Amino acid sequence: MAIPLELRTAIFDELADKKDLLACRAVSKEFESLMTHRVFQVLNLSRENGSHAAFTALVKAPHLMQHIKAINFRAESNEIDKNEGGKCLEIRGLLTYPNENMQLDGFRAFLRPITTLVIALTSLDQGDNGYCDEDYTSFLEEYLPNFLSSSVDLESLTLLSDVETNGPNFPQWDAITLPRLTSLRLASFVFVNWPFYGLGSDTGLEYFIVRHAQSLRHLDLSGCCVAIENEDANPRSWANIWTRFEGQLVNLTTFVFDPLPGLRSEEQQDDDDPGYVGYVTLLIESGYINFFDEPPQDFEVDRLAFESFQNVIAARKS
């Protein structure tokens, strides 16, 4: 006498051990169809031998990747936490190093239904490799944009960098459009004055934000900076950027930027060179630094532009 499908399903739902699930899946074609989503809905990764090879093989199989609902990954420097209902993904300690797995169709298929994405980048030792390290720039120019462009249903995006970087300013990011993006948080990313380099204003990080004006509701740029070039006679300022946002981010209801541009706090200041918040300059051999011989911009003008922007946002709510 055949066991009714409903009863078999109830029995399978009680199985928790991965070995038992795999054994049942191997019984027959019918069992395979019933067990596949149970086997692959939770993926446990580690640094143990074989884990990397198994994951590499799995991302080459989109028909299996589509069943993954949660990834648990524990390691010394990396940690991938939670994927609730196949919609949320948080990756902490993602190395800024090219990874061919991020280019595979299976991995891109896994990212497609994600609606909330949090990525905390961990750079390799930039003090030794230098800001222009080929692997570092290749990751930011090619791999991370491909990662994001796969997540076409994204509603909330958080990108956190452990060093100041102009990652989203690369022109490759100009092709990324996330039509459902309502919330964006960036930390330690640098706004570059691309017209100074002859590329025009419709490129880079500033344009990436403005391009999502219709959907964007919440924006947090705390910890971000504007790059000042010594040879630039008309450098970009936060006042310039916020004035542009005020006029073009017409649906924004929340904007966060803390602390405001100015001198660093007394606790953070150096006796010889106090440093500034909100502005950096690029040294090719070591990356962005926030030390200037004199204030890089008029902080009072920045403050007034910030207040004006916040007043416009507040008026929309009333």
Side-chain angles (χ1 to χ4, degrees):
M1 178 178 175
I3 300 176
L5 177 61
E6 294 80 4
L7 182 55
R8 278 183 290 173
T9 300
I11 294 172
F12 293 154
D13 286 341
E14 295 300 316
L15 296 178
D17 186 83
K18 184 62 69 73
K19 292 181 179 179
D20 293 338
L21 294 171
L22 288 169
C24 289
R25 185 172 180 266
V27 170
S28 66
K29 288 291 185 181
E30 182 183 9
F31 272 43
E32 180 182 5
S33 65
L34 292 173
M35 300 302 296
T36 294
H37 76 278
R38 293 176 171 84
V39 171
F40 294 103
Q41 64 182 348
V42 177
L43 195 62
N44 296 308
L45 301 179
S46 70
R47 291 193 183 277
E48 294 179 0
N49 291 336
S51 183
H52 178 270
F55 180 70
T56 300
L58 186 59
V59 296
K60 295 179 181 179
H63 65 290
L64 298 179
M65 288 290 287
Q66 67 179 336
H67 296 294
I68 296 176
K69 301 300 180 184
I71 293 180
N72 299 317
F73 180 36
R74 290 294 180 271
E76 291 182 5
S77 62
N78 288 323
E79 156 178 304
I80 298 183
D81 273 329
K82 78 170 276 186
N83 193 323
E84 185 178 320
K87 298 296 183 180
C88 304
L89 178 63
E90 182 173 337
I91 307 176
R92 296 194 177 274
L94 180 63
L95 293 177
T96 51
Y97 190 85
N99 186 332
E100 296 299 331
N101 288 335
M102 295 173 65
Q103 308 279 39
L104 296 175
D105 289 341
F107 189 67
R108 293 170 67 89
F110 166 69
L111 293 172
R112 195 165 295 123
I114 300 296
T115 57
T116 298
L117 179 62
V118 178
I119 300 178
L121 300 175
T122 296
S123 62
L124 299 176
D125 187 355
Q126 291 301 303
D128 294 333
N129 294 324
Y131 173 79
C132 293
D133 177 76
E134 183 177 349
D135 289 332
Y136 177 75
T137 55
S138 176
F139 177 85
L140 294 174
E141 290 180 12
E142 302 175 24
Y143 289 86
L144 190 56
N146 285 336
F147 191 114
L148 294 179
S149 62
S150 303
S151 308
V152 294
D153 290 334
L154 265 190
E155 298 174 4
S156 177
L157 172 62
T158 297
L159 289 177
L160 312 172
S161 177
D162 64 336
V163 296
E164 279 84 7
T165 178
N166 65 349
N169 282 306
F170 290 112
Q172 287 86 339
W173 288 67
D174 293 347
I176 301 176
T177 299
L178 307 170
R180 301 182 182 180
L181 187 67
T182 60
S183 178
L184 176 64
R185 181 191 174 199
L186 301 173
S188 295
F189 285 95
V190 178
F191 287 70
V192 173
N193 186 19
W194 285 111
F196 174 71
Y197 296 96
L199 294 179
S201 60
D202 290 341
T203 191
L205 179 53
E206 193 174 334
Y207 180 56
F208 175 80
I209 294 172
V210 170
R211 194 164 65 249
H212 293 88
Q214 291 303 312
S215 62
L216 202 59
R217 300 294 186 272
H218 311 285
L219 179 62
D220 187 340
L221 299 179
S222 297
C224 289
C225 299
V226 172
I228 301 292
E229 298 290 346
N230 293 330
E231 299 83 6
D232 191 351
N234 188 30
R236 200 78 171 140
S237 69
W238 278 117
N240 298 143
I241 295 171
W242 292 334
T243 299
R244 183 182 186 185
F245 287 173
E246 179 181 317
Q248 297 187 13
L249 300 184
V250 295
N251 294 313
L252 203 67
T253 60
T254 305
F255 176 63
V256 179
F257 191 96
D258 184 53
L260 289 177
L263 274 172
R264 292 196 295 182
S265 66
E266 293 183 2
E267 295 79 9
Q268 297 175 316
Q269 288 183 14
D270 184 279
D271 292 337
D272 299 323
D273 205 337
Y276 296 92
V277 173
Y279 290 95
V280 291
T281 189
L282 177 62
L283 295 180
I284 295 298
E285 65 275 11
S286 59
Y288 286 108
I289 62 172
N290 60 357
F291 296 113
F292 299 87
D293 293 333
E294 57 185 27
Q297 288 289 357
D298 189 329
F299 299 132
E300 179 64 13
V301 173
D302 285 343
R303 184 187 65 80
L304 292 174
F306 176 81
E307 291 180 356
S308 175
F309 188 20
Q310 293 289 21
N311 289 336
V312 168
I313 292 174
R316 294 174 187 153
K317 300 178 182 180
S318 59

